[in-house]
Amino acid sequence: MDTIKSFTLDHDEIVPGIYCLGEANGVVTYDLRFKVPNGGDYLSYAALHSIEHLFATVIRNGPLKDKVVYFGPMGCRTGCYLLLYGVQEKEAKEATVWALEQCLLLDEVPGTEKKQCGNYLEHDLIGAKKEIQAYLAVLKGE
Ligand SMILES: [Zn+2]
């Protein structure tokens, strides 16, 4: 089988940031890397799960809502994938910063009723916000 593109990145060279992984059929894939790969410090399951709910809700209600194809967590717990239809890097980064800031304004995680989520007890709003704040500082070059 062919090696998929995200596996061809040298993960020893990745530091937290936002990376464009390329475009296929008009859909641009972004790597929202919160953590250094294999660095021993990973997003907790609960924080990552809450980041998924928070960010997906915000980005799908924001200015780019019609361009959002997918947002979801990486299994390695070092970041998330954001797929946007026809949105180039500068705009994607601006939208990501905007969405992360909006996430910090929410005082509950959306979609955490038992009927809405596959593991509704495994959430951590405070942990998610801490990770979002740290990632925002990276994206803003602080
Ligand atoms: Zn869920």
Side-chain angles (χ1 to χ4, degrees):
M1 286 191 280
D2 295 335
T3 302
I4 64 173
K5 180 142 189 212
S6 66
F7 296 159
T8 66
L9 287 182
D10 182 349
H11 281 66
D12 287 338
E13 301 296 322
I14 295 176
V15 293
I18 178 166
Y19 300 93
C20 181
L21 298 181
E23 185 244 304
N25 306 315
V27 177
V28 191
T29 298
Y30 292 98
D31 172 329
L32 276 53
R33 192 69 64 150
F34 283 57
K35 299 288 188 183
V36 176
N38 305 301
D41 173 34
Y42 306 99
L43 296 161
S44 73
Y45 287 108
L48 180 57
H49 188 193
S50 294
I51 290 169
E52 177 196 8
H53 280 230
L54 290 160
F55 192 100
T57 299
V58 167
I59 198 85
R60 289 181 182 281
N61 281 282
L64 292 184
K65 64 182 180 186
D66 297 330
K67 308 270 173 85
V68 178
V69 176
Y70 172 77
F71 177 78
M74 293 178 183
C76 60
R77 295 188 284 120
T78 63
C80 299
Y81 288 112
L82 175 62
L83 277 64
L84 297 169
Y85 191 77
V87 177
Q88 298 311 305
E89 212 159 339
K90 184 170 179 286
E91 192 183 2
K93 186 175 174 183
E94 287 167 0
T96 297
V97 168
W98 174 84
L100 292 167
E101 287 171 337
Q102 297 301 305
C103 290
L104 294 177
L105 301 177
L106 299 181
D107 37 11
E108 63 182 40
V109 180
T112 53
E113 298 296 319
K114 189 161 175 270
K115 286 182 188 290
Q116 298 174 314
C117 174
N119 192 354
Y120 78 109
L121 294 175
E122 191 174 73
H123 280 282
D124 179 2
L125 177 63
I126 293 168
K129 284 188 175 184
K130 268 172 66 180
E131 299 292 2
I132 287 169
Q133 263 163 343
Y135 184 49
L136 261 176
V138 169
L139 294 183
K140 291 173 160 185
E142 289 167 1

